[in-house]
Amino acid sequence: MARDLDERGAAFLRGGETSQSLTLSDLFDTGDDGAVVPRLKAADPPVRANVLHLDPEFATVISKAIKEVFLPYFDKVIWFQNTSMYHFSMFHASHHLEPIVATDDEIEAEVEAIKRVTKTVCPLKIVLDRVVLTSTGVLLGLWQVESGTDPTEIRSRLREALPRAPQKQLYDPILLHTSFARILGHPKLPEEQSAPSFDHVKFFHGLVAQVNEKIHGFQATVSELWYVEEYDVLALALNGKMKVRRLHLGCNRQGNENS
């Protein structure tokens, strides 16, 4: 992921695709004041996602550091993830590339199956390894797990609990990462830096390095898994309409391990 920006350049300055094959113009409009606003579209059928949730206690610290570095340059053309919705995508019961339609009863059965999983999963103590900026303009945090149930094990248990789920999932099974912000336009720079020869990639690397100086090694605890029905496309990322079941990680029985 860290090499992505070097290899593909700042594709987001050219209206590039997102990580889920949606263009930026699919996701955002420009408001009357020039600020980017989500273009919410109904998800038909709704996406059903299982995510680990990062408490706002931790998310607020991260968001503050990122805004201090990026806001002076991007102001209205950057979208910050809502600090109450910082999350780590773990497993989809249905997603837009392979919709698995479910009745209300089937959804309730999925929730009960997930509850049984969360009772065996231990809270995760995690540390922020580094922040990276992708070629699609997403500022991501990549985390290491210091203790608790390993993400690959959690995903494996969710797969067992949801046999109807899409075979192809949207995320690397090993990674634990969360989106902090999305850049949607060009930085505001002094005129002398706006020349055609200006190295945008080098500039972005410099900003990311500043963020890493502030929050590299930041520690957090994750103790909830959310079963989310996203009624709007990317509702978790764009403050859309959704239904959330908050499930506490119980650390019982075979989940009683450290990794």
Side-chain angles (χ1 to χ4, degrees), residues 63-194:
S63 185
K64 180 176 182 289
I66 289 167
K67 287 179 178 178
E68 285 173 354
V69 173
F70 279 85
L71 259 184
Y73 297 101
F74 294 96
D75 190 17
K76 297 177 180 179
V77 293
I78 186 167
W79 173 258
F80 294 101
Q81 175 73 30
N82 184 333
T83 53
S84 67
M85 293 291 167
Y86 272 36
H87 63 278
F88 310 87
S89 291
M90 299 303 290
F91 195 81
H92 279 78
S94 175
H95 54 62
H96 72 289
L97 297 178
E98 189 181 335
I100 308 291
V101 179
T103 64
D104 289 346
D105 286 345
E106 287 170 331
I107 288 172
E108 292 307 315
E110 287 184 351
V111 173
E112 289 304 312
I114 299 306
K115 282 181 181 177
R116 290 193 290 273
V117 170
T118 56
K119 288 177 181 176
T120 73
V121 172
C122 293
L124 283 70
K125 289 186 178 179
I126 59 176
V127 60
L128 185 61
D129 184 50
R130 60 175 159 164
V131 176
V132 300
L133 179 66
T134 71
S135 65
T136 57
V138 181
L139 201 63
L140 288 175
L142 305 178
W143 300 77
Q144 296 287 344
V145 178
E146 293 196 317
S147 67
T149 307
D150 190 89
T152 53
E153 179 61 27
I154 297 173
R155 290 178 171 121
S156 175
R157 294 181 195 176
L158 291 172
R159 163 68 71 191
E160 290 177 13
L162 300 169
R164 297 176 62 233
Q167 284 303 306
K168 179 175 172 54
Q169 292 289 313
L170 302 177
Y171 303 95
D172 186 304
I174 298 172
L175 284 182
L176 192 68
H177 70 273
T178 188
S179 298
F180 298 147
R182 185 185 291 277
I183 298 171
L184 297 153
H186 288 262
K188 292 188 301 183
L189 299 166
E191 280 189 21
E192 65 272 15
Q193 290 186 301
S194 302

Side-chain angles (χ1 to χ4, degrees), residues 38 40 43 68 72 85 111 125 131 141 218 229 242 251 258:
L40 296 173
E68 285 173 354
M85 293 291 167
V111 173
K125 289 186 178 179
V131 176
F218 180 75
E229 295 171 74
M242 70 188 94
C251 206
N258 287 312

Side-chain angles (χ1 to χ4, degrees), residues 175-235:
L175 284 182
L176 192 68
H177 70 273
T178 188
S179 298
F180 298 147
R182 185 185 291 277
I183 298 171
L184 297 153
H186 288 262
K188 292 188 301 183
L189 299 166
E191 280 189 21
E192 65 272 15
Q193 290 186 301
S194 302
S197 59
F198 179 69
D199 188 338
H200 278 95
V201 171
K202 183 178 179 181
F203 171 75
F204 290 129
H205 277 311
L207 294 185
V208 171
Q210 288 182 50
V211 170
N212 276 305
E213 281 181 22
K214 287 176 176 284
I215 54 176
H216 166 74
F218 180 75
Q219 294 177 313
T221 302
V222 177
S223 57
E224 281 188 350
L225 184 142
W226 287 8
Y227 178 97
V228 184
E229 295 171 74
E230 294 184 280
Y231 300 122
D232 288 326
V233 175
L234 297 181

